Amino acid sequence: MKERKVLVGITGGIAAYKSAQLVRLLKKAGAQVRVVMTEGGAAFISPLTLQALSGNPVHQTLLDSDAEAGMGHIELAKWADLIIIAPASADFIARFAHGLANDLLSTLCLATEAPIALAPAMNQAMWHNPRTQRNMHSLASDIERGQVLIWGPDSGEQACGDHGPGRMLEAEALFERAQDFCGDTGKEKPLPLHGVKVVITAGPTREAIDPVRYISNHSSGKMGYALAEAAARAGADVILVSGPVSLACPEGVSRVMVSSALEMLEAANQSIASECDIFIAAAAVADYRPEVVSDQKMKKQGDEGLVIRMTQNPDIVATVANSGRARLVVGFAAETQDVTAYAEKKLRTKGLDLIVANDVSNNAIGFNSDENAVTLITPHGQVEFVQQSKRLLAAKLIEAMYSELKQKNKAKKA
Ligand code: C5P
């Protein structure tokens, strides 16, 4: 759990006392912990206790200018790698399931991209109530997308004397789930992609017309950056060859900034000079560049109009595939029609191992959006990834690419 940022949300329920122990275990394992309490949570356990155990001030109010000036709800939402709501009361689950944002905890749960684990805790009759069960069932698609996890509840004797399901899991059991989720068994274990070298191209390219003008496209670079972040998190050595975008370089990634397709090709070639394991071409490279770049700012041509002759850019991913210097080569295919058929054609003509196909005719996903839905085309068939945040999707794609690399290496040895 070292360096993991875990946000523990405590809502109103007698099981809140167990959360103090959960915070202690997370801290002991090296995680950074911040606690957010609802009004109900603070009625069961003192915020001072949680402040002392977490080593950080406890956050309680949404509409508080002092608190927002410190670490506001959006900052908290972005800070967390994992959110654990323990206990998650029936009331909190109902608000959460309906997307309400009427206190700090429910608001940051709406604003975050981090996975949220709910540890339900309530009286067995409240748990059995069809309204609670309906709320739980309504989370099915979030669970499928990996955005929500349900940890518990346990069954047994309850604080009120009843017997049945609704007991919150013990702190030790929740801690184990958190460890498993973070891929940490408590022992020193290398991250899955440790020693794997990944090179990624991302963003648009700019093809100069003259010193002040260029031809480019709307690529935001978000998908390529999310892939770089996911690969680095999984322990890979990552080089990100990026076209001009305003995104920050993800932690642990070495970035080379380029402008044109020719510069991108040169940087990609340099990055694979000593070979690489996975090359991912997520950049939206301009197909053509002006044949001649004017030294001086071009003047208006008047009524005659302007003709710029264009010349074709080299295909970076095809060049890399052809060089044999990358063990697994992955391309992207942004299409507006017959998505998988065109993608399969690109896979073959460019000599790729895998291709990620997405339908850019849908405005809700793709280029500038924070979400994407894609089909990964592999030699063994297709895998669909439903619409989800590019961050979550990137982690799943990196996992799938790594599994393909292992299969390819194994086949080569045999
Ligand atoms: O041919 P098309 O541009 O649709 O192919 C898309 C895939 O090829 C993407 O992976 C993109 O990064 C890569 N590509 C490239 N160099 C180019 C054009 C596309 O690497 N000149």
Side-chain angles (χ1 to χ4, degrees):
M1 303 289 303
K2 273 206 170 40
E3 298 314 317
R4 296 283 182 169
K5 294 171 182 154
V6 185
L7 190 150
V8 177
I10 302 179
T11 74
I14 181 61
Y17 77 91
K18 297 184 189 173
S19 304
Q21 174 68 351
L22 172 63
V23 169
R24 219 182 126 250
L25 291 170
L26 290 166
K27 277 289 284 182
K28 221 169 133 194
Q32 295 182 44
V33 184
R34 285 192 172 265
V35 176
V36 174
M37 299 178 89
T38 63
E39 214 181 309
F44 280 92
I45 183 167
S46 144
L48 203 58
T49 306
L50 277 316
Q51 177 175 313
L53 290 172
S54 68
N56 280 312
V58 169
H59 307 266
Q60 294 183 77
T61 40
L62 177 62
L63 304 172
D64 179 306
S65 50
D66 284 347
E68 283 290 302
M71 200 174 196
H73 64 285
I74 299 292
E75 243 177 299
L76 276 171
K78 286 192 176 149
W79 174 85
D81 292 328
L82 171 66
I83 296 181
I84 307 174
I85 313 287
S89 64
D91 172 71
F92 182 79
I93 292 171
R95 290 188 289 123
F96 179 81
H98 287 82
L100 293 188
N102 53 1
D103 63 6
L104 177 62
L105 189 57
S106 55
T107 304
L108 71 87
C109 281
L110 268 190
T112 193
E113 280 189 14
I116 303 167
L118 298 176
M122 67 199 74
N123 164 271
Q124 56 81 27
M126 291 169 80
W127 175 253
H128 280 307
N129 190 298
R131 290 194 290 281
T132 302
Q133 287 305 309
R134 267 202 305 276
N135 290 334
M136 292 300 296
H137 288 308
S138 73
L139 298 171
S141 68
D142 298 297
I143 294 169
E144 195 195 323
R145 282 146 47 118
Q147 268 167 345
V148 171
L149 307 146
I150 308 293
W151 293 350
D154 221 346
S155 192
E157 195 178 328
Q158 303 205 301
C160 54
D162 278 5
H163 208 90
R167 274 173 63 96
M168 186 170 94
L169 292 185
E170 295 303 324
E172 287 72 14
L174 290 175
F175 173 66
E176 266 176 36
R177 303 268 182 129
Q179 273 187 313
D180 282 352
F181 182 79
C182 296
D184 179 358
T185 56
K187 299 175 202 85
E188 271 305 310
K189 192 175 111 190
L191 288 162
L193 265 70
H194 183 77
V196 175
K197 185 175 162 189
V198 180
V199 178
I200 303 173
T201 67
T205 64
R206 280 182 188 170
E207 309 301 330
I209 298 172
D210 67 16
V212 294
R213 303 184 181 94
Y214 56 81
I215 292 171
S216 190
N217 59 63
H218 290 295
S219 167
S220 64
K222 284 179 189 164
M223 194 66 234
Y225 273 62
L227 287 162
E229 186 186 348
R233 267 172 182 263
D237 297 323
V238 185
I239 300 179
L240 178 62
V241 179
S242 170
V245 293
S246 53
L247 301 172
C249 181
E251 223 174 286
V253 169
S254 347
R255 180 168 69 163
V256 186
M257 292 301 289
V258 296
S259 183
S260 66
L262 291 179
E263 285 173 22
M264 189 174 271
L265 175 67
E266 198 189 324
N269 275 335
Q270 270 180 21
S271 308
I272 58 162
S274 54
E275 306 212 327
C276 83
D277 295 293
I278 307 178
F279 183 90
I280 308 169
V285 185
D287 289 330
Y288 293 92
R289 65 179 183 279
E291 200 171 81
V292 180
V293 181
S294 169
D295 287 347
Q296 303 297 330
K297 186 178 169 197
M298 285 168 71
K299 296 291 170 218
K300 286 193 189 74
Q301 307 285 306
D303 283 347
E304 284 168 33
L306 172 67
V307 176
I308 300 176
R309 259 198 77 80
M310 306 285 279
T311 187
Q312 200 168 354
N313 270 326
D315 194 306
I316 300 169
V317 74
T319 311
V320 169
N322 203 25
S323 75
R325 292 187 164 278
R327 291 184 188 92
L328 190 87
V329 183
V330 187
F332 271 72
E335 305 291 345
T336 52
Q337 54 175 340
D338 297 332
V339 180
T340 46
Y342 278 119
E344 270 170 355
K345 193 168 161 218
K346 268 178 205 167
L347 181 85
R348 280 193 309 277
T349 54
K350 293 180 190 246
L352 313 177
D353 297 292
L354 302 176
I355 196 153
V356 183
N358 69 325
D359 184 348
V360 284
S361 65
N362 179 352
N363 279 338
I365 54 174
F367 263 11
N368 249 313
S369 156
D370 288 324
E371 298 211 328
N372 207 351
V374 300
T375 307
L376 178 68
I377 301 174
T378 77
H380 332 286
Q382 299 180 0
V383 192
E384 299 280 342
F385 293 90
V386 294
Q387 183 172 340
Q388 54 196 297
S389 79
K390 284 184 175 169
R391 207 170 164 205
L392 265 180
L393 179 63
K396 293 179 190 167
L397 286 173
I398 290 290
E399 200 181 308
M401 290 173 199
Y402 182 54
S403 127
E404 195 57 41
L405 173 74
K406 282 193 291 189
Q407 286 193 43
K408 202 178 166 191
N409 285 344
K410 215 191 246 172
K412 212 168 160 191
K413 273 191 199 145

